[in-house]
């Protein structure tokens, strides 16, 4: 070998003839089964290849590859392994000159075939598969950086290489015994086809440029489809975790776009398959956070929301054809529900990877998709339409909640733009209790910027607020502007939600959290005063009970008010205010424990039916609170004014039963001074007939007014000047006489009891000159 190597180096032009001769000998020895000579010939070729890097090596390589191909074609496993090892050595050599005519198609096909070996002996099978993987790795290394070589990224090559690697990744003999990380793997595990396939796949994807990602990912999706690997989703998730960590971060969004396209392509597949794809999407999105989710962010959410809507239709119609044709597949509702939950989770995962401004856009985008009873987005009619609308509303609000949970924004004005807030709050007036709860939870997640939400998860009247360890910051200028702009809107919705009969414990807990979080996050002095007025008005709802609420609802509202006032009194630290609240709570503990949260918000609440015969001592008095807080610098006038919600268009647009009661609130002009108010006269009942009469009357009045105006205009256009002058003169005389009467009343003082008017020093004072005797300058007289 030393002599042969020296000769080859001395006379490089002879190298191709040496190669041809060795190749001819090897082919002859293989066919005659003289395997010892085959090994010697391959060893000689390997050593010559490693030693010689001259210009004419290309022709020698042709002979070498021909010999490797001959070995790989052999049925003997040992010869296949020998040929692969030689090829791997060759693949690691960096050649000085490029090759224009070399083809690796045979090697890709043969190595892929070896990766799928099904030899009877498990040890030999493992060795052949590992040789196949090493061979593919060699082909990739040899071709990936050489532009003149056959393009390894072409679909015909990728469709063989990628499934071969996945096949070996998939067949893990002892999945449980594998170490969690390659660094901790034992030497034996490092020699397994699974470990080797993973390394090869990572290397392949790591070398993929922007234009090649699609060709590398498509075979993965097809392989997972063909082998039904989406349903357990463990292997699919593992594959895409490898892919996302291996590719260059700036290409992450290409993988996500392909997954979304695949989800669309599988729109009519079983729910478990779609759920698997969505779960993988969710995992991929979290990893992609370090790179980019891509420019078409809203398209991602549009696809997911479209799939959500389709799933709702499938579940309702029981057919993938949405009721158009007869579907052969049986749709299981619980599987569709599982898919819907997976989509919602994925929407949250995606949103958490986005910057704040894009999260805001996504939330507005989702909210605009929610079907609300408004003129902008008509809702479907009929029973099926109502079900579809309700399910769509719930699913979209769930998605919105997922996004808002991960949303962090210090400026509430940008976090909750007016158009978004208006649509969200109009959903709060819907009859469905589940929808109202979602709206409250979404608002809470926006307002809670310091993680105080969990501290108010249970309603109680604790004596020392310091145990909650609340994080409180001073209200910023932007928060003050936000509350000036939207505060009344928030109070109004809290008030109206409190009046709903279908509320359960979760609603009251959410309302309590909402009130407390506004007090901590967004409150200045004015907001605190408004919140106290609001809670006293809520107490009055329970006390007067115009809405015929159940005993539980009334007790819950009383308990809610007690819990809130107990905490707010400790937050603003006015001793007299704290004392009044404490006294009322103590009185309730003695006489009416069913008005406190500790007795109401439990599994079996203690209720009382005699809520209309309660003593005045168990109520919080608006006059008393106004007095004690007014003495500490708070706005006493505002505190003593009862809270009345404003009527808006929302009441007409929402499907509330209590629109009549809401309007009657506005009709009542007398003050509503909480518990100490006298029994008022019943408000005029508004019926269909009265509304119809009012509309007809107003139309008639408008017609008369229009006719009168027409006559006046016509008179001034056509009547002679003398007639107009006489008419205006008469009007002026009448006006002057009225003015004279007014002046006489205002300027002439009232008669004193003694008959004379005495000044401060006891001297008689002259009467003022009457108006009619006054001399006015000519210019002042009309």
């Amino acid at each position: 070998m030393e002599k042969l190597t020296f000769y080859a180096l001395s006379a490089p032009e002879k190298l191709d003839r040496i190669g041809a001769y060795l190749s001819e000998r090897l082919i002859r020895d293989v066919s005659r089964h003289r395997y010892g000579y085959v090994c010697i010939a391959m060893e000689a070729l390997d050593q010559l290849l490693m030693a010689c890097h001259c210009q004419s090596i290309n022709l020698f390589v042709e002979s070498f590859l021909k010999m490797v191909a001959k070995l790989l074609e052999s049925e003997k496993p040992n010869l296949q392994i020998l040929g692969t090892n030689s090829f791997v050595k060759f693949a690691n050599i960096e050649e000085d000159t490029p090759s224009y005519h070399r083809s690796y198609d045979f090697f890709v096909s043969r190595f892929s075939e070896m990766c799928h070996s099904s030899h009877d002996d498990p040890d030999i099978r493992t060795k052949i598969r590992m040789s196949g993987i090493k061979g593919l790795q060699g082909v990739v290394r040899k071709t990936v950086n050489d532009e003149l070589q056959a393009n390894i990224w072409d679909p015909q090559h990728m469709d063989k290489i990628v499934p071969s690697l996945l096949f070996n990744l998939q067949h893990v003999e002892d999945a449980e015994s594998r170490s969690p990380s390659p660094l901790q793997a034992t030497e034996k595990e490092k020699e397994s086809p699974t470990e080797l396939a993973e390394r090869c796949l990572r290397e392949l994807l790591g070398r993929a440029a922007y234009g090649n990602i699609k060709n590398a990912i498509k075979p993965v999706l097809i392989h997972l489809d063909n082998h039904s690997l989406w349903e357990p989703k463990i292997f699919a998730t593992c594959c895409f975790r490898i892919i996302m960590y291996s590719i260059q971060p700036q290409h992450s969004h290409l993988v996500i776009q392909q997954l979304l396209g695949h989800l669309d392509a599988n729109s009519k597949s079983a729910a478990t398959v779609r759920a698997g794809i969505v779960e993988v999407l969710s995992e991929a999105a979290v990893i992609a956070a370090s790179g980019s989710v891509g420019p078409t962010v809203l398209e991602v959410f549009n696809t997911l929301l479209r799939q959500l809507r389709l799933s709702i239709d499938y579940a309702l119609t029981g057919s993938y054809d949405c009721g158009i044709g007869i579907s052969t597949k049986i749709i299981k509702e619980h599987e569709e529900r599982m898919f819907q939950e997976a989509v919602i989770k994925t929407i949250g995962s995606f949103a958490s990877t986005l910057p704040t401004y894009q999260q805001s856009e996504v939330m507005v985008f989702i909210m605009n998709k929610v079907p609300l009873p408004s003129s902008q987005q008509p809702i479907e009619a009929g029973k099926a339409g109502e079900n579809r609308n309700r399910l769509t509303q719930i699913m979209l609000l769930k998605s919105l909640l997922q996004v808002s949970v991960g949303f962090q924004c210090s400026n509430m004005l940008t976090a909750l733009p007016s158009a978004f807030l208006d649509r969200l709050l109009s959903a709060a007036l819907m009859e469905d209790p589940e929808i109202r709860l979602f709206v409250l939870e979404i608002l809470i997640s926006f307002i809670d910027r310091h993680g105080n939400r969990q501290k108010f998860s249970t309603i109680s009247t604790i004596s020392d607020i310091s145990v909650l360890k609340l994080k409180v910051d001073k209200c910023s200028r932007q928060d003050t502007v936000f509350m000036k702009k939207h505060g009344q809107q928030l109070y109004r919705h809290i008030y109206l939600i409190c009046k709903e009969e279908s509320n359960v414990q979760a609603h009251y807990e959410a309302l309590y959290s909402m009130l407390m979080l506004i007090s901590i996050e967004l409150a200045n002095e004015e907001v605190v005063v408004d919140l106290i007025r609001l809670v006293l008005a809520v107490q009055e709802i329970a006390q007067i009970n115009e809405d015929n609420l159940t005993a539980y609802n009334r007790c819950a509202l009383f308990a809610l008010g007690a819990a809130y006032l107990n905490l707010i009194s400790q937050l603003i630290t006015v001793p007299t205010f704290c004392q009044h609240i404490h006294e009322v709570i103590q009185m309730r503990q003695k006489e009416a424990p069913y008005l406190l949260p500790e007795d109401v918000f439990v599994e079996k609440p203690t209720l009382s039916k005699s809520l209309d015969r309660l003593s005045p001592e168990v109520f919080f008095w608006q006059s008393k609170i106004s007095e004690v807080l007014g003495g500490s610098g708070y706005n006493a006038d505002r505190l003593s004014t009862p809270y009345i919600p404003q009527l808006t268009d929302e009441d007409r647009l929402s499907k509330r039963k209590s629109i009549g009661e809401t309007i009657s609130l506005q009709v009542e002009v007398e003050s509503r001074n909480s518990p100490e108010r006298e029994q008022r006269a019943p408000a005029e009942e508004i019926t269909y007939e009265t509304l119809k009469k009012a509309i007809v009357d107003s139309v008639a009045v408008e017609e008369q007014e229009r006719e009168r105006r027409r006559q006046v205009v016509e008179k001034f256009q056509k009547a002679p000047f003398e007639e107009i002058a006489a008419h205006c003169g008469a009007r002026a005389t009448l006006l002057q006489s009225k003015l004279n009467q007014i002046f006489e009343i205002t300027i002439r003082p009232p008669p004193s009891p003694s008959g004379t008017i005495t000044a401060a020093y006891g001297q008689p004072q002259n009467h003022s000159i009457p108006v009619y005797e006054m001399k006015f300058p000519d210019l002042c007289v009309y």
Side-chain angles (χ1 to χ4, degrees):
M1 268 315 299
E2 284 178 14
K3 287 179 181 178
L4 181 60
T5 307
F6 177 76
Y7 177 68
L9 289 170
S10 306
E13 70 278 2
K14 303 285 186 186
L15 192 60
D16 56 326
R17 289 176 64 189
I18 295 168
Y21 173 75
L22 285 171
S23 174
E24 186 188 327
R25 283 290 302 267
L26 183 130
I27 291 166
R28 191 171 63 205
D29 291 337
V30 167
S31 59
R32 292 176 180 176
H33 306 290
R34 297 164 69 180
Y35 300 123
Y37 288 109
V38 170
C39 293
I40 292 168
M42 279 315 297
E43 181 66 29
L45 277 168
D46 287 349
Q47 289 198 29
L48 283 173
L49 201 61
M50 300 302 284
C52 304
H53 288 190
C54 58
Q55 296 287 325
S56 56
I57 198 171
N58 276 331
L59 293 173
F60 175 71
V61 168
E62 290 301 316
S63 303
F64 170 78
L65 290 178
K66 196 190 294 180
M67 291 165 64
V68 171
K70 187 70 179 173
L71 292 178
L72 292 175
E73 283 173 351
S74 165
E75 292 180 4
K76 296 281 183 185
N78 289 340
L79 292 185
Q80 293 173 16
I81 293 164
L82 180 67
T84 306
N85 290 342
S86 289
F87 183 82
V88 170
K89 286 175 189 170
F90 159 69
N92 290 327
I93 295 171
E94 289 186 17
E95 295 182 55
D96 296 334
T97 53
S99 171
Y100 298 91
H101 55 280
R102 212 178 284 163
S103 171
Y104 293 98
D105 293 12
F106 166 78
F107 294 101
V108 171
S109 300
R110 185 67 187 123
F111 288 137
S112 298
E113 196 180 326
M114 287 166 68
C115 287
H116 290 84
S117 169
S118 55
H119 199 280
D120 296 334
D121 187 335
D123 288 339
I124 292 174
R125 183 170 66 230
T126 301
K127 283 179 182 175
I128 293 173
R129 285 186 182 180
M130 286 183 68
S131 288
I133 297 165
K134 284 177 183 173
L136 288 176
Q137 195 174 24
V139 173
V140 171
R141 283 178 183 171
K142 199 68 188 162
T143 57
V144 79
N145 292 325
D146 193 343
E147 291 176 7
L148 297 167
Q149 299 286 7
N151 191 358
I152 199 71
W153 300 105
D154 284 347
Q156 71 261 28
H157 298 315
M158 282 290 115
D159 289 349
K160 294 172 187 170
I161 294 171
V162 174
S164 303
L165 298 175
L166 293 178
F167 175 78
N168 283 283
L169 259 180
Q170 188 184 337
H171 290 82
V172 183
E173 279 79 12
D174 301 308
E176 293 79 11
S177 66
R178 276 187 66 195
S179 301
S181 107
L183 295 173
Q184 297 168 356
T186 62
E187 286 302 315
K188 189 179 178 184
E189 280 177 347
K190 279 184 180 172
E191 292 301 309
S192 73
T194 309
E195 202 69 39
L196 193 60
E198 184 178 329
R199 283 209 303 273
C200 186
L201 185 62
R202 286 182 188 278
E203 186 178 335
L204 176 73
L205 293 164
R207 292 168 182 267
Y210 182 86
N212 304 326
I213 292 284
K214 190 176 179 181
N215 288 347
I217 303 301
K218 195 175 179 184
V220 178
L221 299 172
I222 293 169
H223 181 83
L224 295 172
D225 282 346
N226 291 344
H227 296 273
S228 305
L229 293 169
W230 292 112
E231 290 176 44
K233 79 175 181 287
I234 298 162
F235 178 71
T237 308
C238 172
C239 277
F240 274 90
R241 207 175 279 138
I242 290 169
I243 290 166
M244 295 306 289
Y245 280 122
S246 302
I247 60 172
Q248 295 170 45
Q250 66 268 29
H251 301 159
S252 299
H253 66 277
L254 292 174
V255 179
I256 286 164
Q257 280 174 1
Q258 275 195 271
L259 276 168
L260 286 166
H262 197 64
L263 180 60
D264 272 344
N266 280 277
S267 288
K268 293 188 178 180
S269 299
T272 47
V273 172
R274 283 177 285 133
I277 299 171
V278 167
E279 289 275 358
V280 170
L281 254 173
S282 177
E283 289 274 345
V286 173
I287 298 167
S290 58
S292 65
V293 178
T296 55
V297 171
L298 290 182
E299 189 53 42
V300 171
F301 290 93
N302 201 24
T303 302
L304 290 171
L305 294 178
R306 184 169 63 247
Q307 290 297 327
L308 200 57
R309 191 71 186 256
L310 277 174
S311 175
I312 291 166
D313 287 341
Y314 294 159
L316 287 171
T317 59
S319 160
Y320 286 124
D321 302 319
C322 300
I324 298 165
I326 299 165
S327 178
T328 52
K329 293 178 183 173
I330 299 167
I331 290 177
K332 294 175 183 171
E333 200 171 332
H334 73 275
E335 286 183 356
E336 289 296 337
R337 186 58 54 84
M338 182 187 71
F339 168 71
Q340 290 158 16
E341 293 297 333
V343 170
I344 290 165
K345 180 189 162 196
T346 304
I347 286 172
S349 298
F350 264 113
S352 64
T353 67
L354 299 175
T356 306
Y357 75 93
Q358 281 189 331
Q359 285 182 333
S360 293
E361 285 176 13
V362 166
M363 286 187 283
V364 172
F365 181 74
I366 295 173
M367 194 66 226
N368 287 337
K369 296 265 183 188
V370 178
L372 294 173
S374 63
S375 53
Q376 287 85 3
Q377 193 162 357
I379 61 171
E380 295 177 47
K383 186 72 179 166
E386 279 183 22
N387 283 342
R388 184 174 284 107
N389 286 322
R390 182 182 173 277
L391 280 171
T392 308
Q393 287 160 352
I394 287 172
M395 289 302 164
L396 290 176
L397 287 171
K398 263 190 181 179
S399 307
L400 194 57
L401 181 59
Q402 279 284 340
V403 179
S404 66
V405 164
F407 182 70
Q408 288 294 326
C409 182
S410 55
N411 188 349
M412 291 297 290
L413 280 168
T414 52
L416 289 168
S418 296
F420 174 76
L421 189 62
D422 290 346
R423 282 186 68 79
L424 183 62
L425 289 175
S426 49
L429 295 185
M430 300 189 77
E431 288 179 11
D432 193 295
E434 199 175 349
I435 290 173
R436 289 201 308 274
L437 189 58
F438 277 126
V439 173
L440 284 172
E441 291 291 346
I442 290 164
L443 285 169
I444 286 166
S445 62
F446 276 118
I447 297 169
D448 181 25
R449 292 168 294 180
H450 293 90
N452 291 315
R453 164 77 172 97
Q454 292 306 316
K455 295 162 187 176
F456 305 119
S457 54
T458 53
I459 309 179
S460 62
T461 51
I462 57 169
S463 54
D464 185 9
I465 198 173
S466 62
V467 298
L468 294 177
K469 295 179 181 173
L470 298 174
K471 295 174 186 170
V472 184
D473 275 352
K474 192 180 176 187
C475 181
S476 66
R477 192 175 65 82
Q478 290 99 330
D479 291 344
T480 306
V481 173
F482 173 79
M483 287 310 284
K484 277 189 187 301
K485 192 175 179 184
H486 299 296
Q488 292 304 321
Q489 206 178 356
L490 286 173
Y491 307 147
R492 178 175 172 280
H493 283 84
I494 292 170
Y495 180 86
L496 292 175
I497 292 170
C498 286
K499 296 179 74 168
E500 293 288 351
E501 196 177 340
S502 55
N503 288 343
V504 294
Q505 184 174 333
H507 291 85
Y508 296 113
E509 285 170 352
L511 285 164
Y512 173 67
S513 297
M514 179 99 166
L515 288 165
M516 283 314 304
L517 288 168
I518 294 173
S519 308
I520 290 170
E521 297 278 353
L522 305 169
N524 52 22
E525 196 173 292
E526 190 179 322
V527 172
V528 169
V529 167
D530 281 342
L531 287 170
I532 292 170
R533 289 170 62 223
L534 172 63
V535 170
L536 291 171
V538 168
Q539 177 185 254
E540 193 182 353
I541 293 173
Q543 186 198 355
I544 295 162
N545 197 24
E546 288 176 335
D547 300 286
N548 297 319
L549 297 173
T550 62
Y552 173 75
N553 292 131
R554 293 177 72 185
C555 288
L557 290 178
F558 281 124
L560 175 68
Y564 175 74
L565 289 171
N566 172 56
L567 278 190
I568 199 70
S569 65
Q570 294 181 56
L571 272 175
I572 61 178
T573 60
V574 175
T576 47
F577 182 39
C578 290
Q579 187 183 348
H580 171 62
I581 303 301
H582 188 59
E583 283 170 2
V584 174
I585 289 172
Q586 278 190 324
M587 188 58 70
R588 285 188 181 185
Q589 284 168 347
K590 287 179 190 171
E591 293 187 10
Y594 44 83
L595 302 184
L596 290 172
E598 285 79 7
D599 278 41
V600 178
F601 301 116
V602 288
E603 197 174 334
K604 292 182 179 176
T606 311
L607 303 175
S608 168
K609 292 183 180 176
S610 60
L611 291 172
D612 297 322
R613 297 191 295 276
L614 294 168
S615 66
E617 287 82 10
V618 298
F619 296 120
F620 299 100
W621 292 66
Q622 187 148 6
S623 56
K624 178 73 175 171
I625 290 172
S626 171
E627 182 189 324
V628 295
L629 287 179
S632 299
Y634 285 83
N635 188 335
D637 293 341
R638 194 170 177 81
L639 271 166
S640 57
T641 310
Y643 172 76
I644 301 173
Q646 302 165 349
L647 180 69
T648 67
D649 290 344
E650 280 179 327
D651 298 303
R652 292 200 313 275
L653 299 175
S654 66
K655 293 165 63 181
R656 293 170 56 78
K657 294 176 192 168
S658 54
I659 299 175
E661 290 96 2
T662 312
I663 294 169
S664 71
L665 281 171
Q666 307 302 311
V667 174
E668 297 162 33
V669 182
E670 73 269 19
S671 73
R672 310 188 316 160
N673 206 357
S674 286
E676 61 262 43
R677 194 183 60 150
E678 295 296 324
Q679 186 68 30
R680 66 175 168 204
E684 181 188 350
E685 187 181 357
I686 294 175
T687 62
Y688 171 73
E689 288 301 325
T690 56
L691 286 171
K692 184 179 176 184
K693 188 180 174 186
I695 291 165
V696 171
D697 288 352
S698 65
V699 170
V701 169
E702 278 181 22
E703 285 293 329
Q704 289 173 6
E705 182 67 20
R706 203 177 290 120
E707 180 62 23
R708 193 182 64 77
R709 283 181 185 170
R710 191 186 63 73
Q711 288 172 357
V712 169
V713 170
E714 194 175 328
K715 181 180 178 183
F716 273 86
Q717 282 175 342
K718 297 179 180 176
F721 175 75
E722 290 78 12
E723 190 182 329
I724 295 170
H727 175 72
C728 290
R731 294 278 304 273
T733 310
L734 181 67
L735 179 65
Q736 188 64 43
S737 65
K738 291 284 181 190
L739 280 170
N740 287 345
Q741 287 176 19
I742 292 164
F743 281 136
E744 197 154 341
I745 290 166
T746 53
I747 295 174
R748 183 177 295 166
S752 65
S754 59
T756 58
I757 301 167
T758 47
Y761 298 102
Q763 295 174 352
Q765 192 178 21
N766 294 327
H767 286 299
S768 302
I769 299 167
V771 177
Y772 51 84
E773 290 179 12
M774 284 185 182
K775 299 293 179 188
F776 288 96
D778 290 345
L779 287 172
C780 295
V781 180
Y782 173 67

